[in-house]
Amino acid sequence: VTISVGLIGMIVIAIYSSWNAILRSAKAGAEATANAQRERIARRSIEEALGSVMMFQANLPHYAFIGDSTSLSLVSHLPPTFPGSRVFGHQPVRRVTFRMEGAIGQAGRLLMEQSMLLAPTNSGAGTYTNILSTNVSAFLLEYWDASVSDFVTEWANTNDLPRIVRMSMAFGHQGSMGKNVEATASVVG
């Protein structure tokens, strides 16, 4: 009887250990899938905004292209499928700003702010802010500057558009459960 109770105890422990391992791997898989989806949506949003960017030389204060290493603000003619389009109705031309929020060296949030370029008087239309992604440990934008034939981290020429924008993103943070941060880069031109 003692031996059979001991065997049953070992079987229960083995089943519990297997079940616990399955739950941990399912959680890790779901987290990886969610991060990949967030990264895909963030990249697509930035690429769509850059792909339909607008510049109107006669009204540069409203149409200026402003970019540095961690933020980008531009005016774009956005498709109806762009995140947040329902908020603005039939106003496809909007100022879109992408920026990081959080402390340096820690995982933060990638935010996308949209506002109508020409809002009707007393409409109450404000800025719509959307969290594109959380747990972003790095977000870097670089702009191709033809005058130096290299990428720069700040676009100072607000009345001109860069030919190429390189975007790098990383999710997670170093040392969280022994995971390494992997950065991915893409080029929009």
Side-chain angles (χ1 to χ4, degrees):
V1 172
T2 304
I3 293 174
S4 61
V5 169
L7 287 174
I8 291 173
M10 288 192 315
I11 291 171
V12 168
I13 290 172
I15 291 171
Y16 175 76
S17 298
S18 298
W19 181 255
N20 197 16
I22 290 169
L23 290 177
R24 280 195 317 260
S25 64
K27 182 180 177 186
E31 184 179 310
T33 302
N35 281 344
Q37 180 71 358
R38 282 189 211 103
E39 181 179 3
R40 187 187 66 77
I41 290 171
R43 281 189 189 285
R44 192 187 104 228
S45 297
I46 295 170
E47 289 170 0
E48 281 185 0
L50 283 168
S52 57
V53 67
M54 297 179 71
M55 180 69 67
F56 184 54
Q57 294 292 337
N59 196 353
L60 284 180
H62 289 294
Y63 284 85
F65 184 96
I66 304 164
D68 62 25
S69 62
T70 60
S71 68
L72 172 64
S73 183
L74 54 96
V75 172
S76 190
H77 186 277
L78 302 168
T81 57
F82 194 78
S85 288
R86 281 188 262 156
V87 173
F88 295 100
H90 299 292
Q91 295 284 333
V93 179
R94 300 189 292 274
R95 173 155 295 278
V96 183
T97 302
F98 300 94
R99 66 180 176 84
M100 276 291 294
E101 180 183 78
I104 295 174
Q106 296 180 354
R109 302 185 310 175
L110 179 61
L111 301 178
M112 176 179 64
E113 297 172 349
Q114 297 180 59
S115 58
M116 278 194 268
L117 190 62
L118 301 172
T121 308
N122 298 327
S123 68
T127 301
Y128 172 70
T129 302
N130 189 11
I131 299 171
L132 278 182
S133 192
T134 58
N135 202 24
V136 179
S137 58
F139 178 64
L140 176 67
L141 296 163
E142 299 171 295
Y143 312 92
W144 181 259
D145 189 350
S147 64
V148 294
S149 297
D150 199 6
F151 284 98
V152 294
T153 57
E154 185 172 341
W155 188 252
N157 194 4
T158 58
N159 62 348
D160 196 12
L161 298 174
R163 300 255 184 242
I164 301 171
V165 176
R166 182 168 55 190
M167 159 181 49
S168 302
M169 295 173 65
F171 290 87
H173 50 279
Q174 193 70 23
S176 78
M177 297 190 296
K179 297 178 192 172
N180 290 327
V181 175
E182 288 187 32
T184 57
S186 61
V187 176
V188 180

